[in-house]
């Protein structure tokens, strides 16, 4: 049985990458979407720190009063997730990404971010003026998601890696923040140990087989 969104490991190192990882794309079975409905999306958004508990209450009330807005918010976040996935695959050099699809995805991501920026407002802080996204409760989650995607895409992407599918990994994305850039697995306790155990079993089986 798949994990609940509240149990989903957060291995991305950035909310935008953790968003991509909410859809399991590997294996022979149909992809499992952890963002199954607007409630799961709201829960996940709080968990990754994209919105606060108080903001979640505002969004929940807005979506309760306007169910169509909840559906639109979920659709927008899923669109951003798919766009990010296509772009990141094109960026990662050891993955066969589709650059044409990635280019189209960038156009869609720009449209999502432009809409979020149009609803944002300038806020005076103690030492700077910043652009505050998520001023409309019904659009707060997709707007913050668009902000996170923009932040990720405009950063140095050289450290973005993918848990190696060809070696038995899950395909999740993560920021390799190790000192020498040597991280290979989403989590050594998960995919890393599973693949190591499988390789050990295969070596032992081969050693027992007659030559």
């Amino acid at each position: 049985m798949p994990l609940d969104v509240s149990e989903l490991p957060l291995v991305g190192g950035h909310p935008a990458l953790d968003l991509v990882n909410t859809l399991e794309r590997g294996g022979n079975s149909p992809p499992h979407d952890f963002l199954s409905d607007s409630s799961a999306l709201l829960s996940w958004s709080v968990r990754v720190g994209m919105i606060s508990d108080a903001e979640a209450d505002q969004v929940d009330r807005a979506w309760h009063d306007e169910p169509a807005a909840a559906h639109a918010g979920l659709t927008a976040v899923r669109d951003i997730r798919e766009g990010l996935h296509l772009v990141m695959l094109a960026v990662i050099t050891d993955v066969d990404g589709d650059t044409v699809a990635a280019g189209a995805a960038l156009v869609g991501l720009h449209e999502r971010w432009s809409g979020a920026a149009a609803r944002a407002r300038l806020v005076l802080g103690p030492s700077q003026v910043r652009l505050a996204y998520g001023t409309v409760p019904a659009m707060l989650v997709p707007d913050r998601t668009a902000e996170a995607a923009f932040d990720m895409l405009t950063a140095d992407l050289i450290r973005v890696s993918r848990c190696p599918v060809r070696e038995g990994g899950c395909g999740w994305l993560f920021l390799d923040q190790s000192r020498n850039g040597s991280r290979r697995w989403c989590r050594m306790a998960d995919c890393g140990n599973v693949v190591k155990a499988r390789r050990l079993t295969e070596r032992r089986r081969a050693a027992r087989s007659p030559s």
Side-chain angles (χ1 to χ4, degrees):
M1 179 179 294
L3 297 174
D4 181 81
V5 69
S6 64
E7 303 170 306
L8 181 66
L10 302 178
V11 303
H14 190 284
L17 297 183
D18 282 321
L19 172 65
V20 175
N21 297 339
T22 59
L23 181 64
E24 288 188 340
R25 307 166 194 270
N28 299 320
S29 57
H32 173 68
D33 193 346
F34 285 94
L35 302 183
S36 55
D37 54 28
S38 57
S39 178
L41 171 59
L42 198 56
S43 204
W44 176 85
S45 301
V46 173
R47 190 164 173 241
V48 298
M50 195 175 291
I51 65 174
S52 66
D53 288 328
E55 288 172 329
D57 289 339
Q58 296 176 22
V59 174
D60 188 44
R61 287 194 295 270
W63 284 357
H64 181 270
D65 294 340
E66 194 177 351
H71 178 73
L74 180 61
T75 299
V77 171
R78 286 174 171 170
D79 285 349
I80 293 170
R81 177 180 63 186
E82 187 60 25
L84 279 169
H85 181 245
L86 290 171
V87 172
M88 291 301 148
L89 289 192
V91 168
I92 300 171
T93 56
D94 61 344
V95 175
D96 296 326
D98 185 337
T99 54
V100 175
L106 276 177
V107 173
L109 288 168
H110 181 262
E111 291 175 352
R112 291 291 185 188
W113 172 77
S114 296
R119 285 183 288 273
R121 59 187 174 88
L122 291 172
V123 175
L124 181 63
S127 60
Q128 64 177 157
V129 175
R130 65 182 181 86
L131 192 60
Y133 290 80
T135 60
V136 180
M139 293 298 295
L140 195 156
V141 172
D143 283 358
R144 292 280 175 83
T145 305
E147 177 191 14
F150 179 80
D151 181 68
M152 183 76 252
L153 291 170
T154 54
D156 186 355
L157 302 179
I158 194 171
R159 288 279 187 172
V160 178
S161 294
R162 189 187 191 211
C163 191
V165 175
R166 293 174 183 174
E167 297 178 34
C170 64
W172 279 358
L173 301 181
F174 57 86
L175 278 178
D176 181 359
Q177 297 173 324
S178 61
R179 181 170 298 180
N180 58 356
S182 60
R183 179 179 168 188
R184 290 191 55 74
W185 309 100
C186 60
R187 291 201 310 179
M188 195 62 202
D190 290 330
C191 290
N193 284 341
V194 169
V195 173
K196 284 177 63 178
R198 182 163 62 244
R199 288 175 178 171
L200 178 60
T201 300
E202 291 171 353
R203 286 197 299 269
R204 288 175 174 172
R205 185 180 295 117
R208 290 195 300 268
S209 300
S211 58

